Amino acid sequence: MEETSDRLNPGITPEFDPKTMRSTKPGLKRLFITTSVLFSFLLGVPFLWKSVEIYRSPLPFHDIDSLSDQIESTPLRFPCNFHAVFVGFPSTDPDNLRSQIQDGINQLTHQNSQCGSCNFSLSVTVQNRDDQCSETLAHSSTTCSYRCGVIKRNVFGVGVDDTVDESLNDVFSGCSEESGKVYSVVVVNKENANGGDEVKAVVGKRRHAWIVGNGLEERYGDMVARVSEIFVKVFMTGGRDEDSIQGEFMPVGSDGRIVLSFSLLNSNPRDWVYDWDFQRIDEALLAPVTKALAPIANISVESQVLYHTPKSSFSSWDKKLQSYIFRTSDLPFFVNSNEWHLDTSAGASGRSKILQFVVYIPSGKECPLLLQLPNGEISKTNGFISPMWGGVIVWNPGNCDKDSESPSRNTISPQDLEQIVEIFLGQFRQLFGFKSEAIYTSGLGTYKILPSERGFTEWELDVLSRKHTCFNLHSCSTTLGSLSRLVRSLPRMIIKDEIGEQVKYSLKAAKLAQSNASLGGYSSSASSSREARSLAENAFFHPSIMSVSYFSYEHCFAVYSPFFLPVAGHVVLAALREWRRYKQEKAKYLTWLTRKKTA
Amino acid sequence: MKILLILGLLLCYSFVSSSGDTTIHTNNWAVLVCTSRFWFNYRHMANTLSLYRTVKRLGIPDERIILMLADDMACNARNEYPAQVFNNENHKLNLYGDNVEVDYRGYEVTVENFLRVLTGRHENAVPRSKRLLSDEGSHILLYMTGHGGDEFLKFQDAEELQSHDLADAVKQMKEKRRFKELMIMVDTCQAATLFNQLQSPGVLAIGSSLKGENSYSHHLDSDIGVSVVDRFTYYTLAFFERLNIYDNASLNSLFRSYDPRLLMSTAYYRTDLYQPHLVELWRPFILIQLTKPSQVKSPIVRAIPRCHSINFPSTMQTSQMMS
């Protein structure tokens, strides 16, 4: 019925309910505005993400791991060449001798390849009484072949050891670097009828040693044993105890520098005041030592004179010796750090090692002051060392009476200064792990060791280079390993470019050191290993690696959410609301359209 | 000029330490940190200065002590006794006497600087006196006092050192072999919680109270107007005052001297990370380092005992004036 009435009245529109219908198409403007704002926000998200990205310089973790594995698994060995010359022996088979010596050496090294030991190649030459030679050569090394007959038996035992050393040096100095240095031992059999039975063994200043004796052709076994001992105990390990604790006798700072700080302590300047001409001894006596040790450490020297520096231990008067005695039990209490302001170095950076060498001049009340050793003897050097710290020498002024008037100002005489420097060099050697005596004693006998004016003989420098290369490489690899573990455990820590570069250069230097070592360049491998270690330490101790200052994810969220969350919330909600509204209006419009159609 | 090596004997003993690892004990260090500021925290400053004095008396020199004081009580405007800091109301001992060397003062005492000292990551320009230059043979005493809570220690009333930060720093120190043995002593409320995350071997930790307990001050000085010392530190100092540099005491005796009734909290010590020496009597490294050297040539230097007698209260039954 309604339909009819509707058709009869065309002017009447269909029922219009504004709540569910709308007559015009809903506009898109509002939706467009809100979604465009939302879209621009979304566009900005990648930029925000990029801006909070942590910059981490890529570290070569794989290379670091492989370096440490390499160093752990294969201890570094250096090529050395051993050459034994037997002079004055009847023609013997050198191959036999060679195998005997080789067995002896292997026995002494127990086949344990410790880091820094020698991958040796042995050659033996026998020169008989008529100066004819028969020799075995480990490999065809033509530059180092020994010219027969050059060594004359009459040189030995006649002159002073130093002249013998010089003459031997002329013989063996022709060897140039091939793969490693050549160490030679000359065994001389003299035919002195009235000579005694004693066998003298001397180790020279360069890389040769000699044994002289009578009737040695009877005692081949003995000679072979002594030759092997010289090769292993002296040339390979430097006369040091093999079980010396690693690191205790390596006083090189982690930046490869040592600062030698010399102090002259006037304990009571009211009694007397002493001064010294340090410049002179620095130039004349210390400079050669510094230069000799250049591949191992960059050494700088400084000196100071201090006043009013009493010691903190006590000494007792000994009537028999007519002097004041302090004992070894007093030594830990000797250094009075409260009043001895030794550590005032201006030149040492944070990671250098400072070695303090102190010359202590006792006061008038304790003059002369002597050190008594546990066995009751009086120490001839009147000094002591402390590993990794330095050494102290007590120097007594020649005349212990003091003037009751003004204190005398004196300068230490050059001769006394020379003696003091000699003791310093002995202490310096001890700080590096060498013995300060000039004799090496073993079960087979004693060997006299000739000292060098540079403080260290060449073979000792070789030993130092090898040991320090080992230590530096080991330290470098552990440092880099620690650094890589640390970096991997903190994924949001900033790693600067500088650190990445230092790690890269450190790895490069370590590889260079290893290749130099395999080629036999002891000092070059020592200096590149030193560089590797110092770069690794710089990278590890870089001040930017502080765990407090890295941004964890929670931190990042907590920083940015107060800015973006409220605004983003509003924008998203607005867009959603507009979208919903649009859909509603669209539905209303569609309803109206269908209504109109059906009407 | 030719130089001959001296034939005379230079002393050279090499001792192998009897502890588990093979490094020898070379030197001793102390890092003493006071983390509180403001006048009413006078007692924390006095704690740290008393320990500084004790440590110096028993032989560690200034160049191996890092002293961090967060505020200046001696020259505070409210201090009735200017340039003097006391830890007892009898005022017999001025802790701020001559020869106090403060390495980090005032606002320099921050968590970041503290962690930099421990881990060794300084800027290049930081002088040697502000660095912890220990090596693998060092024994280090780390003493911290201030206000703390569950797994944190408050620095300067503005930031916190959390237990995982401390554990992390100690771990890095151990990796880099910056100590042989480390003894951490903390005198704050709930001090034991600060050690919860420690894992590195060779660390001995002593805290003044357990979780949920407070650490109390010892007595109030009515003249100065604030409490002048904390209980844990007071009894620790009483123990050390009985020693001199030639003595040989053990950690056990230190622990036994703590009486929970007097402390009003339970002193806690954590020894599971610490490998005791093979010596039967359980010797603490700190007391060895402070009183007896382990070997002849170590540079464990000793100070001459002070001329005046140590005027610490001789009886432990000082009246507990707790207002």
Side-chain angles (χ1 to χ4, degrees):
Chain A
M1 286 297 278
E2 281 173 354
E3 290 175 37
T4 322
S5 63
D6 280 346
R7 246 182 274 124
L8 284 176
N9 298 327
I12 299 175
T13 53
E15 209 175 277
F16 185 76
D17 180 8
K19 286 203 187 66
T20 52
M21 298 177 226
R22 60 174 283 149
S23 53
T24 51
K25 201 158 182 263
L28 285 170
K29 269 192 301 235
R30 288 174 70 150
L31 184 63
F32 179 66
I33 290 174
T34 48
T35 48
S36 66
V37 172
L38 177 65
F39 184 62
S40 65
F41 261 66
L42 289 175
L43 253 187
V45 164
F47 289 103
L48 179 67
W49 189 255
K50 198 75 179 29
S51 70
V52 301
E53 196 183 50
I54 296 291
Y55 179 70
R56 281 165 76 90
S57 167
L59 290 185
F61 295 121
H62 182 70
D63 291 338
I64 295 175
D65 290 335
S66 67
L67 175 70
S68 53
D69 287 336
Q70 211 178 18
I71 291 193
E72 293 296 309
S73 58
T74 49
L76 197 63
R77 303 185 75 192
F78 294 77
C80 317
N81 300 303
F82 293 150
H83 187 205
V85 182
F86 291 82
V87 175
F89 287 79
S91 296
T92 7
D93 180 18
D95 286 309
N96 192 9
L97 277 176
R98 182 172 174 276
S99 61
Q100 280 186 6
I101 297 179
Q102 193 143 18
D103 288 338
I105 295 180
N106 286 333
Q107 206 176 24
L108 282 173
T109 55
H110 298 290
Q111 298 285 5
N112 67 338
S113 49
Q114 229 192 27
C115 184
S117 59
C118 269
N119 235 346
F120 64 92
S121 60
L122 179 62
S123 64
V124 174
T125 308
V126 179
Q127 176 182 314
N128 64 6
R129 295 192 181 100
D130 309 318
D131 286 347
Q132 285 163 352
C133 294
S134 53
E135 52 198 356
T136 74
L137 290 171
H139 51 87
S140 57
S141 51
T142 46
T143 52
C144 241
S145 56
Y146 163 69
R147 279 180 6 256
C148 205
V150 170
I151 301 184
K152 303 266 182 283
R153 280 183 296 157
N154 50 11
V155 173
F156 294 88
V158 173
V160 186
D161 286 329
D162 289 321
T163 27
V164 177
D165 192 36
E166 286 300 314
S167 61
L168 273 183
N169 185 36
D170 297 328
V171 171
F172 289 116
S173 62
C175 290
S176 59
E177 337 263 308
E178 320 153 346
S179 63
K181 307 278 196 269
V182 181
Y183 299 98
S184 330
V185 177
V186 180
V187 186
V188 178
N189 180 23
K190 296 177 74 79
E191 282 176 81
N192 222 341
N194 54 350
D197 215 12
E198 29 103 359
V199 176
K200 188 162 93 148
V202 184
V203 180
K205 288 196 283 233
R206 300 227 160 57
R207 296 185 180 94
H208 44 260
W210 66 92
I211 305 178
V212 186
N214 291 315
L216 294 179
E217 64 263 18
E218 322 288 325
R219 301 149 66 171
Y220 269 116
D222 217 10
M223 285 305 105
V224 160
R226 291 199 84 166
V227 166
S228 333
E229 201 171 53
I230 291 185
F231 279 138
V232 174
K233 293 276 196 279
V234 177
F235 285 140
M236 210 153 92
T237 57
R240 306 146 62 120
D241 306 323
E242 206 42 56
D243 54 355
S244 65
I245 299 155
Q246 206 193 32
E248 184 194 343
F249 292 112
M250 309 262 187
V252 182
S254 58
D255 58 355
R257 294 185 55 206
I258 308 181
V259 177
L260 300 181
S261 172
F262 290 88
S263 313
L264 178 65
L265 260 42
N266 291 289
S267 81
N268 192 355
R270 278 190 266 270
D271 295 332
W272 40 65
V273 173
Y274 275 89
D275 195 2
W276 58 4
D277 184 6
F278 193 80
Q279 186 83 5
R280 225 171 51 111
I281 57 175
D282 184 18
E283 288 161 359
L285 305 175
L286 293 176
V289 180
T290 311
K291 214 160 74 115
L293 284 176
I296 296 167
N298 182 0
I299 302 182
S300 57
V301 176
E302 49 186 39
S303 75
Q304 61 180 346
V305 182
L306 297 179
Y307 307 92
H308 292 285
T309 51
K311 69 183 194 328
S312 49
S313 70
F314 302 103
S315 59
S316 50
W317 172 255
D318 185 312
K319 223 204 248 305
K320 199 166 53 133
L321 296 162
Q322 285 289 303
S323 49
Y324 289 89
I325 298 290
F326 67 107
R327 295 183 184 76
T328 54
S329 51
D330 292 323
L331 287 183
F333 305 87
F334 193 93
V335 178
N336 179 6
S337 275
N338 272 324
E339 317 224 15
W340 296 12
H341 295 288
L342 300 173
D343 196 7
T344 52
S345 165
S349 71
R351 287 206 277 279
S352 324
K353 181 86 197 147
I354 298 188
L355 289 177
Q356 314 276 2
F357 290 104
V358 170
V359 178
Y360 179 80
I361 301 184
S363 64
K365 287 195 291 293
E366 285 189 314
C367 175
L369 188 63
L370 297 177
L371 170 64
Q372 190 179 48
L373 300 170
N375 57 4
E377 284 176 20
I378 294 294
S379 160
K380 293 193 195 67
T381 55
N382 226 14
F384 61 95
I385 67 155
S386 177
M388 299 302 273
W389 182 81
V392 176
I393 299 174
V394 177
W395 184 78
N396 295 306
N399 173 18
C400 275
D401 312 316
K402 46 184 165 134
D403 305 327
S404 45
E405 312 108 30
S406 61
S408 54
R409 307 193 77 95
N410 315 309
T411 312
I412 301 186
S413 68
Q415 296 89 341
D416 290 331
L417 212 48
E418 246 190 62
Q419 271 192 342
I420 292 177
V421 173
E422 285 175 18
I423 306 179
F424 273 145
L425 285 180
Q427 291 184 336
F428 195 43
R429 284 168 54 89
Q430 275 194 300
L431 287 169
F432 272 99
F434 289 113
K435 303 231 178 346
S436 62
E437 294 118 359
I439 299 214
Y440 175 70
T441 326
S442 76
L444 297 172
T446 61
Y447 303 86
K448 180 175 167 198
I449 301 187
L450 290 185
S452 148
E453 60 267 13
R454 296 186 302 166
F456 297 89
T457 57
E458 298 217 0
W459 54 271
E460 283 174 339
L461 287 175
D462 290 343
V463 172
L464 270 185
S465 301
R466 294 197 292 261
K467 285 263 179 302
H468 280 257
T469 305
C470 279
F471 177 73
N472 289 340
L473 281 177
H474 185 253
S475 162
C476 168
S477 83
T478 46
T479 306
L480 287 178
S482 303
L483 178 66
S484 81
R485 275 193 295 278
L486 177 65
V487 162
R488 282 193 277 217
S489 72
L490 297 174
R492 298 241 347 139
M493 184 170 74
I494 301 177
I495 311 283
K496 293 202 171 153
D497 270 334
E498 212 182 356
I499 300 177
E501 275 183 25
Q502 283 171 339
V503 171
K504 203 173 66 168
Y505 289 138
S506 170
L507 286 171
K508 214 160 71 156
K511 279 197 186 38
L512 183 64
Q514 283 178 317
S515 68
N516 278 341
S518 62
L519 288 175
Y522 304 146
S523 41
S524 54
S525 69
S527 36
S528 28
S529 71
R530 179 162 59 102
E531 204 186 305
R533 177 179 174 221
S534 105
L535 284 167
E537 299 269 333
N538 282 345
F540 187 83
F541 283 113
H542 198 270
S544 71
I545 306 181
M546 280 300 297
S547 62
V548 204
S549 51
Y550 72 89
F551 299 103
S552 55
Y553 285 114
E554 298 93 11
H555 185 263
C556 206
F557 181 70
V559 164
Y560 288 107
S561 60
F563 292 118
F564 293 111
L565 266 187
V567 181
H570 280 297
V571 167
V572 168
L573 281 176
L576 280 178
R577 209 178 28 194
E578 283 309 313
W579 175 247
R580 222 173 340 161
R581 180 190 164 274
Y582 179 73
K583 282 180 79 161
Q584 268 177 354
E585 296 297 314
K586 190 73 182 256
K588 276 159 103 178
Y589 182 62
L590 284 173
T591 326
W592 187 77
L593 276 180
T594 47
R595 264 302 182 88
K596 215 172 74 167
K597 240 190 249 150
T598 54
Chain B
M1 286 167 233
K2 228 170 219 219
I3 296 183
L4 302 174
L5 278 178
I6 299 292
L7 285 180
L9 292 173
L10 286 171
L11 290 171
C12 182
Y13 295 85
S14 70
F15 283 68
V16 178
S17 157
S18 57
S19 71
D21 55 340
T22 53
T23 49
I24 57 166
H25 174 196
T26 48
N27 50 29
N28 307 310
W29 282 81
V31 179
L32 310 171
V33 183
C34 164
T35 60
S36 317
R37 47 178 40 240
F38 308 130
W39 172 249
F40 52 82
N41 290 321
Y42 184 101
R43 60 190 186 283
H44 297 142
M45 192 78 44
N47 288 348
T48 316
L49 282 173
S50 327
L51 217 76
Y52 171 76
R53 199 190 140 268
T54 301
V55 150
K56 269 183 79 163
R57 182 179 71 85
L58 290 175
I60 303 184
D62 264 321
E63 58 198 27
R64 284 202 285 279
I65 299 179
I66 304 233
L67 179 62
M68 301 172 79
L69 296 181
D71 200 359
D72 186 6
M73 299 304 169
C75 301
N76 194 307
R78 293 163 76 165
N79 192 359
E80 274 244 316
Y81 299 86
Q84 290 171 309
V85 176
F86 305 111
N87 67 354
N88 197 296
E89 56 172 353
N90 57 20
H91 292 190
K92 280 209 191 131
L93 190 58
N94 173 19
L95 300 170
Y96 211 77
D98 45 340
N99 216 2
V100 170
E101 185 184 297
V102 182
D103 297 302
Y104 287 84
R105 67 189 72 195
Y107 287 106
E108 290 173 359
V109 178
T110 58
V111 174
E112 184 187 332
N113 280 348
F114 173 65
L115 292 178
R116 280 187 192 278
V117 164
L118 286 187
T119 53
R121 297 208 169 95
H122 298 276
E123 302 285 335
N124 281 342
V126 171
R128 283 173 75 91
S129 61
K130 280 184 158 181
R131 294 179 189 234
L132 180 64
L133 298 168
S134 55
D135 53 41
E136 54 193 6
S138 303
H139 288 172
I140 305 181
L141 165 70
L142 172 60
Y143 173 81
M144 297 194 282
T145 180
H147 288 290
D150 195 1
E151 305 224 9
F152 71 90
L153 182 70
K154 191 167 73 159
F155 265 68
Q156 300 257 15
D157 216 19
E159 42 179 13
E160 293 163 3
L161 173 76
Q162 310 224 330
S163 58
H164 65 80
D165 287 327
L166 182 64
D168 197 42
V170 171
K171 186 172 89 145
Q172 289 192 35
M173 284 174 82
K174 193 63 189 175
E175 278 234 29
K176 220 36 200 90
R177 300 170 79 162
R178 278 165 70 75
F179 65 89
K180 181 165 178 276
E181 289 173 13
L182 173 66
M183 174 147 144
I184 311 182
M185 222 184 210
V186 176
D187 187 358
T188 68
C189 302
Q190 307 190 53
T193 56
L194 204 63
F195 311 135
N196 280 348
Q197 317 244 2
L198 281 178
Q199 305 253 337
S200 321
V203 177
L204 181 63
I206 303 180
S208 62
S209 50
L210 294 173
K211 175 169 163 136
E213 288 180 355
N214 291 332
S215 291
Y216 294 98
S217 64
H218 189 258
H219 63 266
L220 170 77
D221 182 341
S222 34
D223 207 359
I224 295 185
V226 282
S227 303
V228 288
V229 70
D230 277 334
R231 284 178 182 258
F232 177 76
T233 308
Y234 179 89
Y235 291 111
T236 307
L237 290 172
F239 179 83
F240 280 122
E241 287 293 327
R242 293 198 291 266
L243 304 175
N244 61 30
I245 52 180
Y246 300 98
D247 272 343
N248 215 345
S250 75
L251 252 187
N252 264 336
S253 41
L254 173 64
F255 294 150
R256 273 198 297 269
S257 74
Y258 292 136
D259 183 357
R261 284 169 307 141
L262 293 174
L263 281 178
M264 293 169 72
S265 62
T266 316
Y268 162 84
Y269 49 97
R270 179 178 176 176
T271 52
D272 56 324
L273 299 169
Y274 177 66
Q275 301 300 319
H277 286 231
L278 302 175
V279 181
E280 215 149 18
L281 219 207
W282 194 16
R283 293 171 182 285
F285 77 97
I286 176 178
L287 293 169
I288 286 186
Q289 83 189 11
L290 293 181
T291 61
K292 182 180 170 176
S294 56
Q295 51 153 35
V296 171
K297 340 172 254 197
S298 70
I300 303 173
V301 293
R302 302 285 175 264
I304 300 179
R306 294 227 167 174
C307 307
H308 57 263
S309 59
I310 311 302
N311 287 314
F312 209 79
S314 53
T315 60
M316 299 260 273
Q317 283 90 20
T318 314
S319 55
Q320 320 273 321
M321 290 228 294
M322 295 284 295
S323 55

